[in-house]
Amino acid sequence: MEGDSVTLNTDDKTNQQEKIKWFFNNTRIAQISEYLNKTCTDVQCNEGTERFRDRLKLDHQTGSLTITNITHTDSGEYKLQIIGSNSISETIFSMAVHETDKTKTKSVKEGHSFTFDPGVAKNPKDLMTWYFNGILIAEITGNLSKICTDVQCNEATERFRDRLKLDHQTGSLTIMNTRNTDSGVYKLKIISSNSDSITSFSVSVTTASAGAALSAIRPSMFLSLIGLCL
């Protein structure tokens, strides 16, 4: 399940003379060598690979590999290769990570503001796009000239004119002075160099009831109204 940790075991203790290599879909992601300067994980092994940045733990005693905070994009084939002085052995691990339901529910009163929090640290190179019922309403890219909200992103959309606030540091989106027509499904899509993710928010904007509106009338106003009727 997404968010969990998983350990791929070698079922043996390593021999100091052996070299252990781990591969993900044929890309080397970890290695143990008798030479400490050749022991590595993830970007240390391959500068072009950041999929597992800060999520790999290598046991130097057993050679086992632990992947923390797994995501559905970690699904695939992992290969363990043990190179000894006289032999080479390989073990294949097939892993399927099931995606969790990322739909979040929000309720807000009409006229109030609410903020969508991406829930992840923003990478300057990530492309973050916000959608409302399938329509692009905000976008953050590494290129400042391509950052937009509402009509800047889509000329045909004026629903949120002057009511959207985009935080360029976190990627969070705030909608101000909400209306009941703002109810619907909002989606955040994050495209990074190694993976894509989508988070959905189901929003319900409630209007004030007639009873609440009457309770807002001051007693003096109510007496004045009675006087007019008489």
Side-chain angles (χ1 to χ4, degrees):
M1 188 73 71
E2 282 192 321
D4 293 341
S5 295
V6 62
T7 298
L8 306 177
N9 294 306
T10 60
D11 294 326
D12 199 3
K13 285 189 176 181
T14 61
N15 185 316
Q16 290 186 351
Q17 304 303 315
E18 292 177 336
K19 179 183 290 185
I20 292 180
K21 294 181 179 182
W22 284 97
F23 298 84
F24 172 68
N25 292 342
N26 295 319
T27 298
R28 187 180 59 167
I29 59 173
Q31 176 176 295
I32 295 179
S33 172
E34 60 180 309
Y35 303 104
L36 294 179
N37 64 340
K38 292 187 178 180
T39 297
C40 62
T41 57
D42 198 32
V43 290
Q44 299 167 340
C45 296
N46 188 335
E47 292 183 1
T49 303
E50 296 195 10
R51 175 188 296 274
F52 301 101
R53 178 177 284 277
D54 301 325
R55 296 193 296 121
L56 297 181
K57 293 182 180 180
L58 198 55
D59 189 320
H60 291 191
Q61 299 298 316
T62 65
S64 297
L65 181 69
T66 298
I67 307 169
T68 60
N69 191 24
I70 58 176
T71 70
H72 68 282
T73 58
D74 296 335
S75 298
E77 184 178 277
Y78 293 79
K79 182 171 70 175
L80 164 65
Q81 185 181 80
I82 301 178
I83 304 173
S85 56
N86 299 310
S87 63
I88 298 177
S89 66
E90 292 186 349
T91 304
I92 303 296
F93 300 82
S94 182
M95 185 168 72
V97 182
H98 299 288
E99 190 172 4
T100 56
D101 183 6
K102 290 187 176 181
T103 301
K104 302 177 182 180
T105 302
K106 282 181 173 285
S107 180
V108 62
K109 290 183 179 180
E110 192 172 30
H112 289 200
S113 299
F114 63 90
T115 299
F116 297 112
D117 181 6
V120 295
K122 180 180 175 296
N123 186 314
K125 295 182 180 179
D126 289 347
L127 169 62
M128 303 180 74
T129 50
W130 286 95
Y131 297 86
F132 172 66
N133 291 342
I135 298 173
L136 178 66
I137 59 172
E139 181 176 81
I140 296 179
T141 71
N143 186 340
L144 294 178
S145 65
K146 293 185 178 180
I147 293 176
C148 64
T149 57
D150 199 31
V151 290
Q152 298 169 339
C153 298
N154 190 334
E155 293 182 2
T157 304
E158 295 195 11
R159 177 190 297 272
F160 301 101
R161 179 177 284 276
D162 300 326
R163 295 193 297 120
L164 295 182
K165 185 178 179 181
L166 197 57
D167 189 317
H168 296 182
Q169 300 299 316
T170 65
S172 63
L173 179 69
T174 298
I175 300 180
M176 301 171 288
N177 188 25
T178 57
R179 306 165 183 169
N180 62 347
T181 54
D182 296 337
S183 298
V185 177
Y186 295 77
K187 287 188 177 182
L188 166 63
K189 184 174 182 180
I190 302 176
I191 301 176
S192 63
S193 57
N194 295 310
S195 63
D196 298 354
S197 67
I198 296 177
T199 303
S200 298
F201 301 82
S202 179
V203 175
S204 174
V205 181
T206 57
T207 56
S209 64
L214 285 175
S215 65
I217 299 178
R218 297 194 302 273
S220 58
M221 293 176 62
F222 189 66
L223 290 173
S224 298
L225 289 172
I226 295 176
L228 289 174
C229 292
L230 294 174

